[in-house]
Amino acid sequence: MMMLLLDIGNTNLRWALARSEDAFEVEVARHSGAVPLDVLARWEVLDPPSRLIVGNVGGAAVGESVRRVAHAYWGLEPEFVSVRAAWRDLRIAYADPSRLGVDRWLALIEAHASVDGAVLIVDAGTAVTYDLILGDGRHLGGSILPGIEMMRSSLLAGTQIPRIESEPSGRSWATDTGSAIAAGSVQAVAALADRLFEHLAHEAGAEPSMLLSGGDADRIASAIQAPCEMVPDLVLRGLARVVRELS
């Protein structure tokens, strides 16, 4: 059975064909509120999947676009997953689970299932989300920051500083304004990751793991002091796990 797994984020659409439990290749495209043309071209030549499983935080418009395409191409009704307060021994901290993004929930499911002990999940995209979970499955909650580009754009929009495309040199500081803004946005995201890692270690009584995901994960990895692991397909792996356990 071949499934098409789809993670619709605020900016990007990530998808993969799951032919086995663990092996799939992720493709990424900006969606702008609909299924983009390059993805349509790829999907048009696919062997029809048996199921289309979707996690969507990108809004109703792109979700409806996916629904129309799935009907037209394969006669399939997409299956949109939603957050549950409890999943196996994972327990969400939010009083209203529906206010937790389904992408964060799927990442928590995969992290808890695949890593022993406490885990800090950092998903760096349009926004940067941080979620803390103990080894017994208790979700402690999380934090959210603007993503790197959003942080830079909001600063430039509120000042007279001209936009200068620049990336950090690897140091925590810079010697010109554009580079200083670039360094500051990366260091802010990384510093909160390190701080939450320390707090989670104290809460758990042992060193936790840290998993990095999202489109900007590689931009912050070198700035984080704590040990961390890149898992770019964390949400899709969580989606695949949910489907397997429900089947």
Side-chain angles (χ1 to χ4, degrees), residues 110 161 198 201 205:
E110 180 61 20
I161 300 171
E198 291 177 4

Side-chain angles (χ1 to χ4, degrees), residues 11-82:
T11 302
N12 290 330
L13 181 153
R14 290 178 169 78
W15 63 278
L17 290 170
R19 293 185 173 88
S20 66
E21 290 193 358
D22 299 311
F24 48 80
E25 184 176 337
V26 180
E27 300 199 35
V28 184
R30 294 179 72 89
H31 62 66
S32 301
V35 180
L37 292 175
D38 55 340
V39 175
L40 289 174
R42 288 280 289 113
W43 286 2
E44 192 171 17
V45 297
L46 292 179
D47 291 334
S50 55
R51 298 174 71 183
L52 171 56
I53 317 296
V54 186
N56 181 18
V57 297
V62 66
E64 181 57 29
S65 176
V66 167
R67 188 186 303 276
R68 290 196 303 268
V69 172
H71 286 173
Y73 281 12
W74 311 302
L76 280 181
E77 179 65 27
E79 301 171 54
F80 291 86
V81 301
S82 56

Side-chain angles (χ1 to χ4, degrees), residues 3-238:
M3 294 184 299
L4 179 57
L5 305 174
L6 184 58
D7 168 25
I8 305 172
N10 291 300
T11 302
N12 290 330
L13 181 153
R14 290 178 169 78
W15 63 278
L17 290 170
R19 293 185 173 88
S20 66
E21 290 193 358
D22 299 311
F24 48 80
E25 184 176 337
V26 180
E27 300 199 35
V28 184
R30 294 179 72 89
H31 62 66
S32 301
V35 180
L37 292 175
D38 55 340
V39 175
L40 289 174
R42 288 280 289 113
W43 286 2
E44 192 171 17
V45 297
L46 292 179
D47 291 334
S50 55
R51 298 174 71 183
L52 171 56
I53 317 296
V54 186
N56 181 18
V57 297
V62 66
E64 181 57 29
S65 176
V66 167
R67 188 186 303 276
R68 290 196 303 268
V69 172
H71 286 173
Y73 281 12
W74 311 302
L76 280 181
E77 179 65 27
E79 301 171 54
F80 291 86
V81 301
S82 56
V83 177
R84 300 185 183 186
W87 178 269
R88 304 301 182 256
D89 60 346
L90 172 66
R91 300 176 303 286
I92 299 303
Y94 279 33
D96 180 358
S98 68
R99 297 184 66 83
L100 179 75
V102 70
D103 54 343
R104 293 170 63 190
W105 181 67
L106 293 167
L108 282 164
I109 287 172
E110 180 61 20
H112 179 54
S114 60
V115 179
D116 291 331
V119 184
L120 171 62
I121 302 166
V122 183
D123 191 334
T126 305
V128 185
T129 62
Y130 305 80
D131 280 287
L132 301 85
I133 183 172
L134 296 176
D136 64 2
R138 183 156 44 100
H139 176 224
L140 299 179
S143 295
I144 302 177
L145 281 179
I148 291 172
E149 292 305 322
M150 186 177 292
M151 205 179 297
R152 295 176 185 179
S153 295
S154 63
L155 176 59
L156 294 171
T159 66
Q160 298 302 309
I161 300 171
R163 175 175 286 277
I164 302 171
E165 297 299 335
S166 180
E167 286 298 317
S169 63
R171 296 179 301 185
S172 301
W173 59 88
T175 54
D176 65 83
T177 300
S179 297
I181 292 172
S185 59
V186 170
Q187 291 298 323
V189 171
L192 183 54
D194 283 324
R195 184 175 181 84
L196 291 174
F197 184 88
E198 291 177 4
H199 287 314
L200 183 55
H202 177 76
E203 188 76 22
E207 183 170 282
S209 300
M210 186 191 307
L211 303 183
L212 302 185
S213 193
D216 283 337
D218 57 342
R219 299 170 78 180
I220 64 171
S222 62
I224 294 174
Q225 299 300 307
C228 54
E229 178 185 354
M230 299 272 287
V231 189
D233 54 355
L234 186 64
V235 172
L236 286 174
R237 288 187 176 279

